[in-house]
Amino acid sequence: MYGGGNSFEAPAINERPEAENPELLAEFEARIERGEKIEPSDWMPALYRKQLIRMIEQHAHSEIIGALPEGTWITRAPGFRRKLAQMAKVQDEVGHGQLLYSAAETLGKSREEMINDLINGKSKYSNIFNYPAFTWADSNVISWLVDAGAIVNQLANAKGSYGPYCRALDRICAEESFHLKYGHDAVVHLATGTPLQRKMVQEALHRWWPPLMHFFGPPDKMSIHTEQLMRWKVKMASNDDMRQQFLDMYVPKIWELGLTLPDPLLKKNLETGKWDYTEPDWEEFKRVINGDGPCNKERLGVRKQAEEKGAWVRRALLNPQAKYVQPLA
Ligand code: FAQ
């Protein structure tokens, strides 16, 4: 079990599907089976609501924390055009966070509670954003391959059962596809550039490969939530299936550029039709998602500071009647 204070606990007895009204549960599951969307005002089992909040909230946090490693490269991106594009991408990621927080709010958890849970380390966010982007090439690898991984996941889940989440994912995927092209273009530029540029992108790729393999979640046999989530069509592909899809689509593109990956076992197995690979270090994954990665403290520190510095704006928005009173000299 991936534990720590923020881990998913066994559902309370009254949250277990068998504790629900059997007729309502059967009708709910039949609707899902028919491919209908569940909307916020519809009846839903308590566990479906809890799982969706967990997943959408983690996704929202991942977007706003995910903006940070690339955000630090806006001022250092090479040239004005790259700076503009980098800035637009980072703004998109933060916008995705907003869409996803709104989708999670429809299930009854307030944005304030979600942000508090993020800052206090109670909620998780994607493992991958706890690693540093040392060079411009690291930022490009994120733009290409982390976005690619996110698209594999989101295209599948956009066909899921909860209306507000699926609609948010449709829009996010459209923008993310553009990020992917931007990232690919930037990586190709470095890979076909000077020997130093090529070396830089090759090193970045080796650094990001293990966290990219972790990104899709633990192997199916270790996953806690997949079975229930797939039954209710919240998740539309298992972790291993998404990882395989990613390998299938992107390893050939990486090799095409003459770049290497740090896994001597990586190859498509013609008998099984699947990719063979070395299991990444799942102990490292557990440490990172439970708060002990290279950049966890720094990432949460930035969010905490943003929250504190922006508090006056939220207060002013919530109470527009309040006027600033000039203090007496
Ligand atoms: N990182 O039972 P499972 C992006 C946790 S968006 C951290 O397999 P599940 C855009 C999991 O929460 C990236 N924790 O879990 C962008 C659970 O712990 P809990 C985010 C992870 O939910 C690009 C435990 O391990 N995308 O990148 C991770 O069935 C570029 C057991 O795991 C989403 O969130 C992980 N990688 O499957 C932004 C998509 N994997 O909660 C900026 C929505 C697992 O019990 C720049 N989420 N855990 O304490 C999902 O599809 C699923 O939640 C999975 C995990 C597939 C991530």
Side-chain angles (χ1 to χ4, degrees):
M1 164 109 175
Y2 293 85
N6 50 356
S7 78
F8 186 85
E9 287 147 19
I13 291 188
N14 62 357
E15 283 168 345
R16 292 187 196 153
E18 61 274 17
E20 301 284 359
N21 175 321
E23 276 167 31
L24 289 174
L25 182 62
E27 172 54 19
F28 168 83
E29 293 196 330
R31 288 187 62 196
I32 290 187
E33 194 50 39
R34 292 195 294 270
E36 289 176 27
K37 297 282 183 221
I38 306 298
E39 296 299 337
S41 55
D42 294 342
W43 184 89
M44 61 185 82
L47 185 59
Y48 178 82
R49 184 184 299 277
K50 182 175 172 176
Q51 279 280 21
L52 271 170
I53 292 175
R54 177 191 69 87
M55 208 172 108
I56 305 175
E57 177 183 355
Q58 286 180 5
H59 193 168
H61 296 330
S62 304
E63 299 280 355
I64 61 165
I65 295 271
L68 300 178
E70 288 171 298
T72 60
W73 278 96
I74 293 173
T75 53
R76 295 174 290 164
F80 185 60
R81 283 170 199 277
R82 292 276 190 219
K83 280 188 178 54
L84 280 179
Q86 184 85 354
M87 189 153 51
K89 179 185 189 301
V90 168
Q91 283 175 344
D92 281 355
E93 305 299 0
V94 176
H96 298 168
Q98 304 299 333
L99 283 173
L100 292 163
Y101 283 125
S102 299
E105 279 182 312
T106 63
L107 292 152
K109 183 163 180 179
S110 73
R111 189 172 298 220
E112 200 180 2
E113 279 177 283
M114 290 188 263
I115 297 289
N116 284 341
D117 284 351
L118 169 68
I119 291 174
N120 300 333
K122 202 169 160 218
S123 279
K124 289 192 169 67
Y125 57 89
S126 184
N127 69 300
I128 201 145
F129 302 118
N130 291 306
Y131 292 85
F134 291 127
T135 67
W136 172 237
D138 289 297
S139 177
N140 296 164
V141 170
I142 299 176
S143 303
W144 183 26
L145 294 176
V146 180
D147 278 84
I151 292 177
V152 166
N153 171 295
Q154 291 160 182
L155 274 180
N157 291 345
K159 297 187 188 71
S161 62
Y162 189 58
Y165 187 41
C166 297
R167 290 189 284 274
L169 290 181
D170 277 339
R171 165 130 183 223
I172 291 172
C173 282
E175 293 183 355
E176 221 97 276
S177 312
F178 205 73
H179 300 168
L180 175 88
K181 289 192 195 310
Y182 162 68
H184 186 232
D185 176 72
V187 168
V188 171
H189 185 81
L190 294 180
T192 56
T194 64
L196 199 61
Q197 285 174 315
R198 202 174 159 78
K199 181 169 177 280
M200 183 166 72
V201 76
Q202 177 61 81
E203 287 172 358
L205 199 53
H206 277 228
R207 275 194 286 277
W208 287 86
W209 193 249
L212 267 166
M213 292 295 280
H214 287 149
F215 179 80
F216 301 92
D220 292 352
K221 58 178 188 290
M222 289 160 64
S223 165
I224 313 164
H225 306 295
T226 300
E227 196 184 331
Q228 181 72 70
L229 289 179
M230 288 190 74
R231 176 180 163 90
W232 281 337
K233 296 192 183 170
V234 171
K235 228 168 135 168
M236 299 298 281
S238 77
N239 301 355
D240 286 335
D241 286 347
M242 290 188 284
R243 207 171 355 256
Q244 284 290 334
Q245 253 191 65
F246 172 80
L247 295 173
D248 228 13
M249 291 169 78
Y250 294 97
V251 173
K253 288 189 176 32
I254 293 167
W255 284 346
E256 229 169 58
L257 292 171
L259 298 170
T260 62
L261 290 166
D263 180 355
L265 295 188
L266 186 68
K267 68 164 179 10
K268 181 108 181 215
N269 182 326
L270 296 178
E271 272 171 34
T272 59
K274 295 199 167 168
W275 286 81
D276 293 335
Y277 54 83
T278 311
E279 281 298 334
D281 179 352
W282 291 109
E283 287 307 311
E284 173 181 331
F285 170 76
K286 282 191 236 176
R287 276 197 309 277
V288 171
I289 68 173
N290 285 309
D292 189 19
C295 296
N296 297 57
K297 285 196 181 65
E298 180 187 329
R299 301 284 184 249
L300 286 187
V302 174
R303 287 310 325 162
K304 191 158 187 271
Q305 196 188 43
E307 193 58 19
E308 286 165 2
K309 287 201 168 159
W312 70 272
V313 179
R314 288 189 301 282
R315 271 199 306 275
L317 285 172
L318 287 173
N319 187 6
Q321 309 308 333
K323 296 271 186 303
Y324 176 70
V325 181
Q326 186 80 36
L328 290 174

